[in-house]
Structure formats: C-alpha cells, structure tokens
C-alpha cells in the first residue's frame, strides 16, 4: 500500500486488493473530508458526531447540514432526521420540477401545513388518475377560483355558484334524487 502526493493531490493505491480511504473516528466525534479554497472551509462530507449517516455540510455559508443520507436509505435535504424516503425542509418552495428555465411546477408547504402546487407560465395542472379522484376537505368545503375570484363552492349538501347562474350542459338525462 502506498500513499503519495500526485500533482498536488493524494493517491491511495493497492496493487493486490481493493483500495480505499478510511476515516476512523470515535463514535461521538465527526469523521469528514474538508473541501477548502484558500483560507475558507467551504464544504464537508462525512459523518456527524454520534451518527452513522452520510452528510454534506455547508461550512462557509449557512453553516448547516444541507444533505443527509441515513443508513437504511432515507434522504433529507435541509433536515438531518428524515422520516420518509425523501424529506425536504425549507421555508420557501420545497420542490421545483422543471422542463426548462420557463416551464416548471412548484410545491410549497407553509408553517400551518397549507400546501400550494403552482405551475409557471400558463401551464395547466392535470390530475390523470387510473382510479377515482377524491377531494377530502375536513373543513367542509371545496372552492374553485379564477385568480382571486370565487367561481363556486361545494359545501356539505350544496353548490354555491358565485355568479348566480348554474348551467348544466349534458347529452343525457339530468336526475335529481331527493331521497
């Protein structure tokens, strides 16, 4: 086994078996690799003290763990203890799915658990389900809006149409069952 400096780098070579670099620290201490530029320690990749999770730490900016990969496969972005396969913690948009720089959709969760799914440009939001689509509103109503204008509200056993007009355009029969 040899460890040599090569063009300013570090090389670990073993000619007869697998070559590896092992960082061995006590369980209550961190084991990590520092990525530095000049006098600045920019990033660390390693293991937090008292943890076996792989983490990426922003050491020069927000001084926070920005990525955690737990043993067992759970991944956290902005959180060190993900409790699902992927957990993203942030106080602004948590997820952005992009087609290009202008076409995208975002998902954001607010402090009261209010959730917004938004599309950019004039993009439609389509729910394409092989089964049923269920809207389960424990508050008792579902409201449809165009920007800030309420079009109609479904609440309990009534439909409230904001314009006052309800038009049913159907090819077959309309059955009202008051049973």
């Amino acid at each position: 086994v040899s460890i040599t400096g090569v063009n300013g780098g570090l090389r670990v070579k073993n000619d007869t078996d697998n070559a590896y670099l092992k960082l061995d620290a006590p369980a209550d201490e961190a084991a990590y690799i520092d990525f530095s530029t000049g006098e600045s320690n920019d990033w660390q990749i390693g293991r937090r003290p008292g943890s076996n999770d792989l983490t990426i730490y922003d050491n020069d900016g927000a001084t926070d763990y920005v990525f955690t990969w737990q043993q067992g496969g759970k991944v956290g972005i902005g959180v060190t203890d993900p409790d699902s396969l992927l957990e993203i913690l942030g106080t602004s948009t948590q997820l952005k799915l992009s087609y290009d720089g202008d076409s995208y959709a975002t998902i954001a969760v607010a402090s009261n658990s209010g959730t917004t799914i938004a599309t950019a440009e004039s993009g439609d939001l389509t729910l394409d389900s092989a089964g049923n689509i269920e809207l389960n509103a424990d508050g008792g109503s579902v409201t449809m809006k165009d920007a800030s204008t309420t079009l109609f509200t479904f609440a309990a056993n009534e439909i409230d149409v904001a314009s006052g007009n309800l038009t049913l355009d159907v090819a077959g029969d309309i059955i009202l069952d008051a049973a």
Side-chain angles (χ1 to χ4, degrees), residues 22-42:
K22 181 175 183 176
L23 304 176
D24 200 355
D28 60 343
E29 295 294 330
Y32 57 89
I33 299 171
D34 257 333
F35 292 86
S36 302
T37 54
E39 299 296 318
S40 175
N41 291 332
D42 298 326

Side-chain angles (χ1 to χ4, degrees), residues 41-116:
N41 291 332
D42 298 326
W43 292 94
Q44 293 176 345
I45 296 177
R47 177 186 56 81
R48 297 189 326 270
S51 169
N52 288 322
D53 303 335
L54 176 67
T55 60
I56 298 176
Y57 185 79
D58 180 356
N59 202 34
D60 197 37
T63 60
D64 243 341
Y65 291 97
V66 295
F67 179 88
T68 301
W69 188 352
Q70 286 185 331
Q71 285 186 324
K74 293 180 181 175
V75 173
I77 299 174
V79 62
T80 58
D81 60 346
D83 55 15
S84 59
L85 287 177
L86 174 62
E87 181 176 353
I88 302 171
L89 175 67
T91 57
S92 60
T93 299
Q94 287 89 3
L95 181 62
K96 181 177 179 181
L97 304 169
S98 299
Y99 177 83
D100 58 30
D102 298 320
S103 303
Y104 58 87
T106 60
I107 300 175
V109 179
S111 62
N112 65 354
S113 295
T115 303
T116 301

